[in-house]
Amino acid sequence: MASARSHEGSGPLRRTGRTVGHALRSPFTGTARGIRKATHAHGAGESGLGKLIELHAVNGAGDVMITIALASTVFFSVPTDQARGRVALYLAVTMAPFIVLAPVIGPLLDRLPHGRRAAMAGSMLARAVLALTMSGAVATGGLELYPAALGVLVCSKAYGVVRSAVVPRLLPPRFSLVKANSRVTLAGLLATGAAAPIGAGLQTIGPPWPLYGACAIFVGGAILAFTLPPKVDSAKGERKAHLVHPQEDGAVRPDPLRKTATPGAETGKKPARSRSKEKNGEKRPGLRSVGPSVLHGLQANAAHRALSGFLIFFLAFLLREQPLSGRSAAISLGIVGVAAGTGNALGTAVGSWLRARGPEVIIASVLGLALGVAVLASALFSTVMVAALAATAGFTQALSKLSLDAMIQRDVPEEVRTSAFARSETLLQMAWVAGGAIGISLPLNGVLGMAVAAGILALGATASVRGLLGAARRGSPHPRVA
């Protein structure tokens, strides 16, 4: 009888416990289901693109954790003069070697087409280890912090190059590349925005804590990388793209995918030297051999990336020493950061909506828009104009990059497209480094800085706009199939 009463009493308790547990889990499980439904929509779940979207979100969250830890140590924890010296040291120790390493990243990863999942997982695990390494030096700002920061930078850019090469392999049916890239990019932006306050909260506990959080995130990312479909590692039908000099207009352009005659063809024999340079009688196509649009698009995007690197470093110092009127340095930087992030998200959304209609015209238009705002910011330097330039730079960079992706998809033959993405991303990262170097070397004069920003964009417009508009009028050649 006592046993029966005990069971009767335990039943309601168990039901109550399950109800409470379900109520506690519901917000998290519901959020997870909502995220999974969004990332796997429109066939992205079946193709594997949904998993790449989630992986890129993890990558963005981990990177922002490390950024918060480094900014708090290198920038905010010391007076302005010391901060400038520390950041200068950071740039010297990290970015100078990166200028040397950046040209190697794309070609090196391009030689490992069968290990893309392993490469992305390796970049995650390496950053997890480097985050732990930095956690011991972040409080003191010791010299050992800087080589580790260089390693994080290189691994992050290597992941970006591989990710760009992977996206074309995971396109769902009737899903454009520009739409896929916009969805991946937007997921990274949203994850960065969600992780930033968490990292700031961890920073209040202690300087190493954001790095501990980054380590945990990157370990999870390494595991997630191996859940991507095996076709990510397949290089079937791919060849390497090379940057070659363009032929003059009017010259006969050989079909890069068609077999070409070589000495000895009449006898059916082929010289050994020729065999070593060509495979199956086919020349390796290059980016310039498929029309001018991609090259001019790269030039315009390089200007946007250089502007991004310039504004990050120049405004970080300028607003630390000369905050926006009536505001603290942290709030001033926050205003600029939020403006840039909002502009980037808006550009990504607009790029997906436009579906890459007339990408040459879009790139030329947004470059002109950014140049106009930069000129106004130089002439009418103020809080509003600085925030407007940051938002415009984020918007135009995102929209220009998505349009470049669309042109690569349209103009570059499929068998060299992934290689083209890897190499173009490397070039754009080098432009970002160059812009950052200019930003750190300038005197802290707002009007001068905005004038230099306008000059960077004017240089890009001079190099690319005329060619982009001319290509749009003529129509770009579509890749031919042998």
Side-chain angles (χ1 to χ4, degrees), residues 98-108 426 430:
F98 182 72
I99 292 174
V100 178
L101 292 173
V104 180
I105 293 175
L108 178 62
T426 300
M430 291 179 65

Side-chain angles (χ1 to χ4, degrees), residues 138-203:
V138 73
T140 62
L143 288 177
E144 64 270 23
L145 181 67
Y146 300 102
L150 170 63
V152 169
L153 181 64
V154 170
C155 290
S156 180
K157 301 311 178 186
Y159 162 82
V161 169
V162 178
R163 191 262 302 170
S164 295
V166 163
V167 172
R169 285 281 176 189
L170 300 178
L171 288 180
R174 298 180 299 279
F175 210 90
S176 70
L177 185 61
V178 65
K179 184 175 181 180
N181 275 289
S182 65
R183 187 175 288 191
V184 172
T185 302
L186 188 59
L189 292 173
L190 293 174
T192 298
I198 298 174
L202 292 174
Q203 181 68 30

Side-chain angles (χ1 to χ4, degrees), residues 204-230:
T204 62
I205 301 175
W209 281 92
L211 295 169
Y212 296 152
C215 178
I217 290 171
F218 283 130
V219 169
I223 297 172
L224 185 60
F226 284 110
T227 67
L228 292 171

Side-chain angles (χ1 to χ4, degrees), residues 287-311:
L287 293 181
R288 291 189 178 182
S289 66
V290 293
S293 293
V294 171
L295 256 295
H296 293 310
L298 272 172
Q299 291 166 346
N301 273 268
H304 286 294
R305 286 292 183 94
L307 175 67
S308 174
F310 172 79
L311 290 179

Side-chain angles (χ1 to χ4, degrees), residues 278-292:
E278 299 181 4
K279 184 178 180 180
N280 297 328
E282 298 176 359
K283 291 184 177 180
R284 292 177 175 178
L287 293 181
R288 291 189 178 182
S289 66
V290 293

